[in-house]
């Protein structure tokens, strides 16, 4: 049962020379810039993240429609009728570790499998962001009331950092997926 919940996140297990930059480094930099903008927002204090009308609520209005689009993209990729999409990706091809008859081994990914893993991950991450947004905006005042006063800012920063990291990760990987679907998929292998 647990495997069903973590399977969509297997995209993160893909090994490739540029993938860690797209999955972690760039979203981390964008998160840091976002946090600097939020908490260094001048003399008027920090920009609201979790309160009513705050950034999380505004991002929720954008993100809540994305799971349906990601599922549609996943269905289109899974059923796309083009033979090239089932060839292994050009070297250095991304690899993922799978079990074959109980033995772990790395396989090179085809375009279809890579894109299916990517859009399954994006679907799961967007659903997770919607859930975090709903809980964060609904419960922030109650949590602030029971947490010691000195820990409120710390909890706010940590929760905002997690939220924005997931958001920026989703945005960066979506843009990478759009580049791949819109351009790279149709280029000749080199």
């Amino acid at each position: 049962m647990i495997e069903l919940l973590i399977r969509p996140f297997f995209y993160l297990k893909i090994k490739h020379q540029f993938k860690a930059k797209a999955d972690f480094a760039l979203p981390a930099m964008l998160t840091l810039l976002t946090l600097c903008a939020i908490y260094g927002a001048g003399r008027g204090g920090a920009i609201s993240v979790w309160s009513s009308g705050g950034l999380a609520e505004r991002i929720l209005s954008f993100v809540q429609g994305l799971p349906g689009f990601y599922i549609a993209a996943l269905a289109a990729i899974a059923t796309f009728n083009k033979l090239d999409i089932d060839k292994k990706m050009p070297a250095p091809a991304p690899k993922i570790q799978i079990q074959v008859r109980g033995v772990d081994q790395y396989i090179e990914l085809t375009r279809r499998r890579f894109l299916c893993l990517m859009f399954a991950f994006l679907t799961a991450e967007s659903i997770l962001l919607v859930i975090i947004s709903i809980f964060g905006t609904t419960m922030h005042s109650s949590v602030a009331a029971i947490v010691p006063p000195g820990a409120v800012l710390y909890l706010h920063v940590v929760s905002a950092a997690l939220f924005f990291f997931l958001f920026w990760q989703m945005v960066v990987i979506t843009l990478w997926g759009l580049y791949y679907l819109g351009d790279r998929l149709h280029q000749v292998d080199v």
Side-chain angles (χ1 to χ4, degrees):
M1 181 65 169
I2 298 286
E3 187 175 330
L4 292 175
L5 297 174
I6 58 173
R7 221 13 145 169
F9 296 95
F10 275 21
Y11 163 82
L12 294 173
K13 291 176 56 174
I14 296 172
K15 305 288 183 213
H16 189 265
Q17 62 188 17
F18 300 116
K19 196 167 162 310
K21 291 176 186 168
D23 291 349
F24 301 106
L26 189 53
M29 287 187 332
L30 291 168
T31 298
L32 187 60
L33 288 172
T34 303
L35 293 175
C36 287
I38 290 169
Y39 295 104
R43 301 189 197 291
I47 296 169
S48 172
V49 175
W50 298 112
S51 62
S52 180
L55 282 174
E57 193 172 276
R58 291 173 188 242
I59 288 173
L60 172 62
S61 66
F62 164 68
V63 172
Q64 65 190 1
L66 290 178
F69 289 106
Y70 288 140
I71 290 169
L74 180 57
I77 293 161
T79 60
F80 192 55
N81 191 14
K82 184 178 180 192
L83 295 178
D84 290 354
I85 200 168
D86 290 317
K87 286 185 191 176
K88 286 184 183 169
M89 294 175 73
K95 298 176 182 178
I96 191 165
Q97 185 178 2
I98 63 166
Q99 279 199 346
V100 178
R101 296 184 189 113
V103 178
D104 287 342
Q105 64 182 36
Y106 279 95
I107 61 164
E108 292 182 339
L109 294 176
T110 64
R111 290 175 170 94
R112 184 183 312 272
R113 192 159 190 179
F114 175 74
L115 288 167
C116 283
L117 285 167
M118 177 186 279
F119 280 95
F121 170 74
L122 288 169
T123 303
E125 189 168 48
S126 64
I127 291 169
L128 186 62
L129 268 170
V130 168
I131 292 168
I132 290 171
S133 299
I134 292 169
F135 276 92
T137 56
T138 304
M139 297 174 50
H140 91 280
S141 339
S142 303
V143 171
I146 61 171
V147 172
V152 171
L153 179 61
Y154 174 76
L155 184 61
H156 194 273
V157 172
V158 169
S159 62
L162 172 66
F163 176 75
F164 285 111
F165 178 80
L166 292 174
F167 173 72
W168 286 121
Q169 185 180 53
M170 184 188 69
V171 169
V172 169
I173 295 170
T174 297
L175 293 174
W176 188 14
L178 290 174
Y179 157 73
Y180 206 89
L181 283 173
D183 183 48
R184 186 65 190 109
L185 188 65
H186 306 289
Q187 290 181 10
V188 199
D189 292 344
V190 261

